[in-house]
Amino acid sequence: MLLLFFYTAGAFANVNLTPIDTLTTDSTFAVAKMDMRPYVTVSVSESNNDLPPEVFQYQPEIFHDSPQNNGQVNDCWLRLIVKNTSKQDVSYRFFAGWHDYMYWFFQLPGQPVQQLSATGLMLDNGGVERWNHYAFHIQVPASQTITYYLHIINKSYNENPLVPILYNEETYGSFHDVQLDSFRKEAVIIHVLLGMLLVFFSISIINYIQLPDKSYVYFAAYILGLILFFALRLESKPFQLSFFHKWPMLKYYWDVPGLLFCFYLMYLLFGNTFLNLKERYPFMEKVFTWVAAVVGGLIVLCMVCISAEKFHMPTIIYGYVYFLTLAPLLAVFIALARRSRHHPLVRFFLYGSACLYLACLGSFLLQVKPMGLLGALGELTAPTMLLMGGVLLQAMFFLAGLSYRNKLVHLERTRTQELLIKQLNKNKELQRKLNEQLEELVKEQTTEILRKKQELEEQRKIQLETEYDKKLTEIELKAIRAQINPHFIFNCLNSIQLFVMQRDYEYAQKYLSDFSYLIRKTLDFSRRNFISLSDEITYLNTYLGLEKMRFENRMEYEIVVDPEIATAELEIPAMLLQPYVENAVKHGMTNPKQPTGQLKIFFNQIAPDMLECVIADNGIGIARSKALRTLPKHHQSSGMEISQNRAELLNKMYRTDIQIEIIDKSLEDESNSGTIVKIFIPQL
């Protein structure tokens, strides 16, 4: 097989490149490997994927046997006409290289074009077998002519070699084995690199669990990005089983974005936290943060361009980033190198950065001559041995730096523990002294507590006596209220009796209705110590209305309330004013010198916490009333005396100061008569 291969290779080298329209095979045609450029016509006119164009020409300049950068999308059709003049069928393999999209068609004379297969680096997800799809099968029956079309679309500007070659089955098998051996070596190296990166990733995760630090997180993300990047590079190695062969487009989404993510974004974030730039070099920390944010935006922009099938834009973006950051990175390296004496972690960062920096630069320079400037940048996504070595060395230096940082943290912890032990010994001595002082203090506090306990016992006895006096006072107050109610009822029944005797049944009925309301309110108020001022005014209005009916309108009354008083909120003692109002009605309406009795009640807010109640009448006065009193000896009007006693008990029970002042007008002026009662009620 090797001899046959070398023989056909020599024949291939001396083949005549003169253009020939049709490949004619006869009984003597037995080619193992044949350059098909003289037999293939080309069309670069725009057309759809289903039908080939009508015009084809010889364009040998479109073919190239090494990778090149086209500067644009290459969309071309190749046409091959095969005429079999022998009496046997011929079968060959047509191979034109590995390209993004490839569509294989055939056409019999007088029949429409039919598609046989479709494959490509951006299309085929057939696993390992997909690499056999690029050698298209040519089979021409005896005495027939078939036209074959190959539609090639390379959306990436960097194009793989494009040379049409015809193989027989045996020679194609040899070609397959040679290519497999060639790419297997690179695949083995990538697998070894992936294994080492997985070890680094595992170490970083374990160290992060032991010592939570953002540096390990960024380093782990950097290693994970590299693992994904190199694993996807296997996808572009022919005859290799890739981990991601079901997603053929994934390798394009993680070529330039993967380089930006690993070599710029994670590199800057890792350096920021690893060197603790925020505390040591604040200005450099701000620069790293802003540049990382810009790179993150560029990664998103590159992915958007790839999704829009603008595959050349990520390469251009990466080219600008690569060249624009060369000088700033060099300046950062110099600035950090000058401070490496005081910060040993800088050395690890610098050594690792320098390894990757030089490896990238060397890989780029090696590709500039064959590929050109932009083509060389694009080929960085297919890393060379030099770049893989630089990546591995950088990861090793960074991991060694993290280990050294762990050592520094361990030493710092040990030093801190020693200081804590010394401080603990001092604290024990101090605790002993404090315990002695505490014992003395406890003795003093125990004595003080016993004294306080004795004082509390005395205060408790006093409080019990006070509560006993208070309950006793409440009982006396209820007894006094019980005396008020019969006194008031007796007077009201006398009034009703008078109406009945006068046969004024209408007034008697109305009087009885209002009287029943007063009875209910009186019973209600007798159970309460305090009522609102508005309830007291309503009660007095009802009572005075009944008395006015009894005196047949020979009585006038008026209740005046200070507008600043909130009658619904202010509370006064229940049934405190009624006896004085009743006494004023009884004695104030019997003045023969006054045809009409006048009664006025005033409620004034004389102070923020003091209510003044004034009851004024134009009666005969206190002195004359005592002189003219004609009641039996066994009957004594005790309403005012009861109210006075209630006021004294309320003052004692609630520690207030209710004052009652009674003024006889005739004592001040003989020509004037009547009585004024002033009751001062503090607001509780």
Side-chain angles (χ1 to χ4, degrees):
M1 292 297 295
L2 289 176
L3 291 175
L4 179 61
F5 173 76
F6 289 131
Y7 172 79
T8 54
F12 168 72
N14 297 323
V15 70
N16 185 11
L17 297 180
T18 303
I20 302 173
D21 188 3
T22 303
L23 175 63
T24 304
T25 64
D26 54 19
S27 58
T28 62
F29 187 85
V31 177
K33 178 179 180 182
M34 184 176 181
D35 188 351
M36 300 304 295
R37 282 178 288 184
Y39 301 94
V40 173
T41 54
V42 181
S43 176
V44 293
S45 60
E46 295 183 358
S47 64
N48 56 38
N49 293 337
D50 298 331
L51 296 176
E54 296 180 357
V55 180
F56 283 84
Q57 299 176 352
Y58 288 102
Q59 298 182 25
E61 66 277 3
I62 200 172
F63 302 115
H64 50 88
D65 55 1
S66 62
Q68 72 174 18
N69 184 270
N70 293 326
Q72 62 181 357
V73 175
N74 185 15
D75 187 345
C76 64
W77 286 78
L78 306 183
R79 184 180 68 178
L80 174 63
I81 302 174
V82 181
K83 182 178 181 182
N84 184 9
T85 60
S86 65
K87 295 181 180 181
Q88 295 180 351
D89 297 346
V90 294
S91 178
Y92 288 94
R93 295 278 185 170
F94 184 80
F95 179 78
W98 295 283
H99 304 286
D100 295 343
Y101 294 93
M102 303 179 74
Y103 304 93
W104 182 243
F105 302 86
F106 83 103
Q107 183 181 21
L108 295 173
Q111 295 185 10
V113 177
Q114 298 182 27
Q115 181 175 332
L116 290 174
S117 62
T119 188
L121 296 174
M122 294 184 180
L123 181 64
D124 199 348
N125 61 353
V128 178
E129 297 297 328
R130 69 192 186 281
W131 299 114
N132 295 326
H133 299 166
Y134 293 86
F136 303 102
H137 192 231
I138 293 178
Q139 187 170 8
V140 183
S143 302
Q144 287 193 15
T145 301
I146 299 180
T147 303
Y148 290 95
Y149 299 94
L150 178 60
H151 187 191
I152 297 176
I153 304 175
N154 279 316
K155 295 185 177 181
S156 299
Y157 287 3
N158 282 359
E159 187 177 59
N160 287 326
L162 175 55
V163 177
I165 301 174
L166 191 68
Y167 291 98
N168 62 15
E169 295 295 339
E170 293 80 6
T171 309
Y172 177 73
S174 300
F175 170 76
H176 177 280
D177 295 337
V178 172
Q179 293 292 318
L180 179 61
D181 291 338
S182 174
F183 289 110
R184 181 178 291 172
K185 297 176 182 178
E186 298 182 19
V188 169
I189 295 174
I190 292 177
H191 279 98
V192 172
L193 179 62
L194 289 175
M196 298 185 70
L197 292 176
L198 282 173
V199 172
F200 294 163
F201 178 77
S202 303
I203 293 174
S204 62
I205 295 298
I206 294 173
N207 288 338
Y208 177 76
I209 295 174
Q210 296 177 350
L211 178 64
D213 189 354
K214 284 186 177 181
S215 300
Y216 287 110
V217 176
Y218 293 135
F219 181 74
Y222 167 72
I223 296 298
L224 193 61
L226 288 176
I227 291 173
L228 180 61
F229 177 78
F230 285 108
L232 286 170
R233 294 319 100 197
L234 290 174
E235 175 67 22
S236 59
K237 302 297 180 184
F239 310 109
Q240 303 303 316
L241 177 60
S242 170
F243 302 105
F244 306 97
H245 59 83
K246 292 185 179 180
W247 304 279
M249 286 299 297
L250 186 59
K251 57 180 174 292
Y252 297 96
Y253 279 94
W254 200 246
D255 51 6
V256 172
L259 293 175
L260 291 174
F261 177 82
C262 297
F263 297 153
Y264 289 93
L265 180 60
M266 287 299 107
Y267 173 79
L268 292 172
L269 295 177
F270 171 77
N272 195 352
T273 56
F274 179 71
L275 300 177
N276 198 10
L277 296 180
K278 188 173 183 179
E279 296 182 2
R280 298 178 181 273
Y281 317 111
F283 176 74
M284 191 177 296
E285 185 270 338
K286 293 180 180 179
V287 173
F288 274 38
T289 303
W290 279 103
V291 174
V294 172
V295 171
L298 292 177
I299 292 173
V300 176
L301 179 60
C302 289
M303 290 188 173
V304 172
C305 292
I306 293 171
S307 64
E309 297 187 351
K310 303 294 183 181
F311 296 97
H312 64 289
M313 289 303 299
T315 303
I316 295 175
I317 292 172
Y318 183 74
Y320 279 110
V321 173
Y322 184 79
F323 287 111
L324 289 177
T325 56
L326 285 177
L329 282 176
L330 185 60
V332 170
F333 293 163
I334 295 174
L336 291 175
R338 297 178 62 182
R339 296 171 172 83
S340 61
R341 295 181 180 178
H342 308 288
H343 193 359
L345 294 178
V346 173
R347 300 176 186 174
F348 293 97
F349 185 76
L350 286 178
Y351 293 155
S353 301
C355 290
L356 182 63
Y357 182 88
L358 296 175
C360 289
L361 184 60
S363 298
F364 170 73
L365 294 177
L366 290 175
Q367 297 291 337
V368 168
K369 184 175 181 180
M371 296 291 297
L373 188 61
L374 288 177
L377 285 174
E379 283 301 306
L380 286 179
T381 59
T384 62
M385 294 292 296
L386 183 60
L387 181 60
M388 288 189 286
V391 168
L392 188 60
L393 287 175
Q394 184 195 49
M396 293 176 65
F397 276 115
F398 284 177
L399 188 61
L402 288 171
S403 300
Y404 184 74
R405 179 172 177 157
N406 277 353
K407 179 181 178 181
L408 294 179
V409 171
H410 178 71
L411 293 175
E412 184 66 25
R413 285 182 176 179
T414 303
R415 190 180 301 108
T416 303
Q417 289 176 356
E418 292 177 354
L419 293 175
L420 288 175
I421 292 173
K422 293 180 181 179
Q423 187 64 36
L424 184 61
N425 294 331
K426 293 181 180 179
N427 291 342
K428 288 182 178 180
E429 181 65 23
L430 181 61
Q431 184 179 6
R432 186 184 61 79
K433 295 180 180 179
L434 289 176
N435 288 336
E436 294 176 357
Q437 296 178 1
L438 185 61
E439 290 177 358
E440 296 178 359
L441 184 61
V442 167
K443 293 179 181 179
E444 296 177 359
Q445 292 294 329
T446 302
T447 305
E448 182 67 18
I449 289 172
L450 293 175
R451 186 180 64 80
K452 291 289 185 181
K453 183 178 179 180
Q454 185 177 1
E455 292 180 358
L456 289 174
E457 287 291 334
E458 295 177 357
Q459 291 179 2
R460 191 173 67 84
K461 291 179 181 180
I462 296 173
Q463 185 177 2
L464 289 175
E465 293 176 357
T466 303
E467 290 179 356
Y468 175 78
D469 293 341
K470 183 177 179 181
K471 291 181 180 179
L472 183 62
T473 303
E474 288 180 352
I475 294 173
E476 293 175 354
L477 188 60
K478 290 180 180 179
I480 291 174
R481 286 204 301 267
Q483 295 177 13
I484 291 176
N485 297 337
H487 181 267
F488 173 71
I489 293 171
F490 174 78
N491 291 334
C492 290
L493 290 176
N494 285 339
S495 299
I496 295 173
Q497 184 181 11
L498 178 63
F499 280 110
V500 174
M501 292 176 64
Q502 293 177 354
R503 297 182 180 275
D504 193 346
Y505 299 116
E506 182 179 353
Y507 274 92
Q509 183 178 1
K510 186 176 186 315
Y511 197 99
L512 186 61
S513 175
D514 291 344
F515 174 68
S516 65
Y517 168 78
L518 286 178
I519 290 297
R520 288 195 304 270
K521 287 298 180 182
T522 302
L523 293 175
D524 180 28
F525 292 165
S526 65
R527 291 192 298 267
R528 295 158 58 183
N529 290 334
F530 293 90
I531 62 174
S532 66
L533 181 58
S534 62
D535 289 341
E536 181 71 18
I537 293 173
T538 303
Y539 181 85
L540 292 177
N541 264 319
T542 305
Y543 168 73
L544 291 174
L546 293 175
E547 293 290 13
K548 184 178 180 180
M549 291 171 57
R550 186 167 67 87
F551 284 101
E552 298 179 351
N553 295 325
R554 288 183 293 105
M555 166 189 167
E556 297 292 338
Y557 71 92
E558 182 181 8
I559 299 177
V560 181
V561 182
D562 190 347
E564 296 183 357
I565 299 176
T567 58
E569 299 177 1
L570 192 146
E571 291 188 344
I572 63 174
M575 303 294 292
L576 179 64
L577 304 180
Q578 195 272 344
Y580 296 100
V581 174
E582 181 182 354
N583 192 71
V585 170
K586 183 175 182 180
H587 299 289
M589 303 298 109
T590 57
N591 189 354
K593 297 181 180 181
Q594 299 290 342
T596 303
Q598 298 287 335
L599 175 63
K600 294 185 178 180
I601 302 174
F602 301 92
F603 293 97
N604 302 317
Q605 189 80 38
I606 61 175
D609 59 347
M610 182 63 70
L611 175 68
E612 179 190 40
C613 303
V614 180
I615 304 171
D617 63 74
N618 60 348
I620 59 177
I622 297 175
R624 190 176 178 186
S625 176
K626 291 180 179 180
L628 297 176
R629 181 173 295 174
T630 58
L631 293 174
K633 293 183 180 180
H634 66 274
H635 180 80
Q636 296 180 358
S637 178
S638 59
M640 293 179 62
E641 181 181 356
I642 291 173
S643 295
Q644 183 67 38
N645 292 338
R646 282 192 67 208
E648 293 176 358
L649 289 175
L650 288 170
N651 290 337
K652 181 178 180 182
M653 186 169 61
Y654 294 102
R655 297 181 182 181
T656 183
D657 188 17
I658 299 175
Q659 298 180 7
I660 301 175
E661 181 180 351
I662 302 175
I663 302 173
D664 193 345
K665 294 182 181 179
S666 61
L667 297 179
E668 298 178 356
D669 185 1
E670 294 182 355
S671 61
N672 195 5
S673 63
T675 305
I676 298 176
V677 180
K678 294 183 178 180
I679 303 174
F680 300 93
I681 304 175
Q683 297 182 20
L684 299 178

